[in-house]
Amino acid sequence: MIALTLIILVAYFAVMVGIGLYCRKNSTDVNGFVLGGRSVGPWLTAFAFGTSYFSAVIFVGYAGQFGWLFGLASTWAGLGNAFIGSLLAWNILGRRTRIMSQHIDAKTMPDFFGKRFDSVPLKIVASLIVFIFLIPYTASLYNGLSSLFGLVFNIPYWVVILVMAVLTSFYVIFGGYMATAINDFIQGIIMLVGIVAVILAVIGQNGGLLAATQKLSAVPAAGWTGGAYTSFFGPDPVFLLFVVILTSLGTWGLPQMVGKFYAIKSEKDIQKGTIISTVFAIIVAGGCYFLGGFGRLYGVELSAAGKPLFDTIIPKMLSTLSPILIAVVIVLVLSASMSTLSSLVLTSSSTFTLDIIKPASKKEMTEKKQVLIMRIFIVFFIIVSAVIAVIKDANPGVTFIAQMMGVSWGGLAGAFLAPYLLSLYWKGVTKTSTVVCFIWGTGLAITQFVFSMAGVNVASFPPFFALMFKTSIHSGSFAMIGGLIIVPLVSLISKKMNKEKLDEIFNCYEEKVTVSKKVSLPDEN
């Protein structure tokens, strides 16, 4: 099994490196390095969106955790990811993001905020939020790799992290966004094949879908006589709803996800990309959570404190599979982690360079120098995330890292989702409302982090606040939904932007274009 896995891994690594070298010619300027020249087709963009969305955190962590908590009802989280996080995100954000970002020449989400609201300080604040909250999220991508590689290789965890970090650095540094997109496409295919193969194998092991479901329905749960983990909404539907909101709606405010729309080539490609991305999410996310739903048939390891170690559930399930499937799964999880890692570090480095370093520079920075600085920061972000992951693994008692990872997604989406979404559609969004939402989203995430670290008993709070701070999933959901209320209310009472400036920005939607009849039929009148 070791020889087979090594052969597959070496072949996979060789392809990744080759693509990085091949794409060097597309990464000589900022537009090419960050956005692929805004000429990336629907298949590459859709797979880049999906593989950035679903990492090893989903496959190993969330699938195991929520499958254990909700049973087969955890599949709702995967379907939410597909229809809210992918289908609706593409339909509501994709086209307008592509048009307006090109019109105002925005290359990153902080750059968009700065130009949309004519405010350099706003751009810098948004950049700092990205910088602070993306690093712990990046470090979390290594989670689960240790237990999976332990199924085959008897090697230290830091070696796994080092290999992943070096290879990801190589192809992102050389090939930029285009290399990332092409690699994401290959990694996405591996994920699709791997998920389907594993689901079929696990169900087959348990006597087929009907027999596996019957076994799961017999697992007891508090307050249930049976069938808790095969019921339609599971044993805790309220918590399940918060999971769906955070993991699905959250993509609308994450810079590494929205950035994919900046690079897509055309209107027709957006329509195709919407379908491809949604189907990809149904199979990968729906499949991951559906698979995790059978986790209670395999059991879970417990920590010294007697708490379930959710990251061990999926590896325990996979340990019973054939050697070829285990090899495929290892490449699958590595692919999922590397694709998301490449997207995050490219987002972090481009944001830090273009939105902080460049404006602060007293001298004019050439395109070549900007690309060089971005490459340096890619190395920096990957090293920092790898070091954090190693420290966390070597010191299980250092819980603040795991807690901070948990609030990263909610903090970013809580700060950015509402002002970004509404400013694409409504001229009335103000700079003040955007700042207030930044404070609201990050403030809620940091408060949740402090409460968790201090061991505050939030159950003693009034019911509304007890629910808000129950977990980082709850606080992240409240941050996003609260932002959608705060931004319109504050915009109505705060100073409006210059009307001429706004009209000039929104005129991009009114420009006339000519299309063929196969795209749009002429008006009979």
Side-chain angles (χ1 to χ4, degrees):
M1 183 167 68
I2 294 177
L4 174 64
T5 307
L6 275 174
I7 291 170
I8 294 175
L9 284 174
V10 169
Y12 170 71
F13 294 153
V15 171
M16 300 296 104
V17 171
I19 289 171
L21 293 172
Y22 173 76
C23 293
R24 282 182 300 173
K25 62 181 182 293
N26 298 309
S27 306
T28 55
D29 60 8
V30 172
N31 196 45
F33 190 81
V34 177
L35 300 175
R38 295 189 192 265
S39 60
V40 183
W43 284 91
L44 294 184
T45 302
F47 272 65
F49 186 90
T51 54
S52 296
Y53 196 166
F54 310 118
S55 66
V57 177
I58 296 287
F59 185 75
V60 178
Y62 280 6
Q65 178 182 353
F66 299 134
W68 184 267
L69 295 176
F70 308 124
L72 293 183
S74 64
T75 308
W76 283 111
L79 296 178
N81 293 173
F83 294 107
I84 300 173
S86 297
L87 180 64
L88 282 181
W90 276 75
N91 275 300
I92 294 174
L93 297 178
R95 192 168 175 276
R96 283 189 170 247
T97 291
R98 176 64 175 83
I99 294 170
M100 187 177 283
S101 66
Q102 184 178 30
H103 179 67
I104 63 177
D105 192 28
K107 296 179 177 67
T108 65
M109 184 180 276
D111 192 25
F112 175 89
F113 283 124
K115 290 175 178 174
R116 168 64 176 81
F117 297 103
D118 195 23
S119 172
V120 173
L122 191 65
K123 178 171 74 171
I124 293 173
V125 170
S127 302
L128 291 173
I129 293 172
V130 172
F131 175 72
I132 292 168
F133 282 89
L134 271 192
I135 284 184
Y137 180 32
T138 304
S140 72
L141 299 177
Y142 301 98
N143 284 0
L145 290 176
S146 176
S147 51
L148 279 176
F149 271 77
L151 294 177
V152 180
F153 303 108
N154 184 24
I155 56 176
Y157 181 38
W158 67 265
V159 175
V160 178
I161 293 175
L162 179 64
V163 171
M164 178 176 160
V166 169
L167 287 168
T168 305
S169 299
F170 189 91
Y171 76 74
V172 179
I173 287 170
F174 277 99
Y177 183 82
M178 187 59 76
T180 299
I182 295 174
N183 276 323
D184 285 349
F185 180 72
I186 296 170
Q187 291 159 345
I189 292 173
I190 294 171
M191 291 167 69
L192 288 171
V193 173
I195 289 293
V196 173
V198 171
I199 290 173
L200 292 176
V202 168
I203 290 176
Q205 256 185 359
N206 288 279
L209 181 59
L210 182 59
T213 306
Q214 287 174 337
K215 289 180 185 178
L216 189 62
S217 67
V219 176
W224 290 71
T225 55
Y229 300 108
T230 55
S231 61
F232 199 68
F233 290 121
D236 191 351
V238 175
F239 187 27
L240 177 59
L241 175 62
F242 279 101
V243 170
V244 172
I245 291 172
L246 182 73
T247 62
S248 303
L249 194 61
T251 61
W252 296 31
L254 297 179
Q256 74 275 15
M257 302 298 296
V258 175
K260 303 296 184 288
F261 300 134
Y262 289 37
I264 199 164
K265 188 175 181 180
S266 67
E267 166 77 18
K268 188 167 60 175
D269 288 343
I270 292 175
Q271 295 170 357
K272 290 180 181 177
T274 302
I275 298 170
I276 298 165
S277 178
T278 304
V279 173
F280 182 90
I282 290 172
I283 297 172
V284 174
C288 280
Y289 287 111
F290 177 73
L291 178 68
F294 292 100
R296 285 184 178 264
L297 300 182
Y298 295 84
V300 62
E301 294 179 16
L302 300 177
S303 67
K307 293 183 178 180
L309 297 172
F310 295 119
D311 282 359
T312 66
I313 295 173
I314 297 298
K316 199 167 186 176
M317 183 186 294
L318 299 175
S319 65
T320 61
L321 302 181
S322 66
I324 182 72
L325 265 181
I326 291 177
V328 169
V329 168
I330 286 176
V331 177
L332 180 161
V333 174
L334 195 63
S335 298
S337 298
M338 288 177 69
S339 59
T340 308
L341 178 62
S342 63
S343 176
L344 291 177
V345 297
L346 187 59
T347 299
S348 299
S349 64
S350 59
T351 296
F352 203 72
T353 302
L354 300 178
D355 303 328
I356 295 180
I357 302 295
K358 184 182 175 183
S361 177
K362 295 180 179 179
K363 296 181 180 179
E364 185 70 23
M365 292 177 63
T366 64
E367 294 266 319
K368 188 175 181 180
K369 187 173 182 180
Q370 290 175 55
V371 172
L372 174 62
I373 293 174
M374 278 187 274
R375 286 175 166 146
I376 292 171
F377 274 110
I378 285 171
V379 175
F380 169 76
F381 285 120
I382 287 182
I383 290 174
V384 170
S385 65
V387 168
I388 291 174
V390 170
I391 292 173
K392 178 179 177 290
D393 182 68
N395 301 277
V398 184
T399 57
F400 75 90
I401 294 175
Q403 293 291 345
M404 191 61 198
M405 290 171 187
V407 303
S408 295
W409 183 297
L412 285 166
F416 294 149
L417 187 154
Y420 186 83
L421 167 65
L422 295 175
S423 64
L424 288 173
Y425 283 86
W426 183 33
K427 295 180 181 179
V429 180
T430 64
K431 181 171 68 175
T432 303
S433 71
T434 302
V435 172
V436 171
C437 195
F438 285 2
I439 296 171
W440 162 256
T442 56
L444 210 59
I446 293 170
T447 302
Q448 166 67 44
F449 171 66
V450 171
F451 283 171
S452 298
M453 292 307 304
V456 175
N457 181 20
V458 297
S460 61
F461 291 4
F464 178 80
F465 294 102
L467 182 63
M468 181 185 292
F469 294 109
K470 188 174 182 180
T471 68
S472 59
I473 290 172
H474 291 80
S475 61
S477 300
F478 272 100
M480 290 185 289
I481 295 170
L484 292 170
I485 298 170
I486 288 170
V487 171
L489 290 179
V490 176
S491 293
L492 291 175
I493 58 174
S494 54
K495 183 181 178 182
K496 305 298 183 289
M497 282 185 64
N498 179 275
K499 186 177 182 303
E500 290 182 2
K501 178 72 175 177
L502 278 173
D503 290 342
E504 192 278 324
I505 291 174
F506 276 80
N507 277 342
C508 62
Y509 297 137
E510 307 302 326
E511 291 180 17
K512 304 298 180 184
V513 295
T514 303
V515 298
S516 61
K517 287 185 179 180
K518 68 180 180 181
V519 175
S520 178
L521 291 172
D523 192 333
E524 292 297 333
N525 294 328

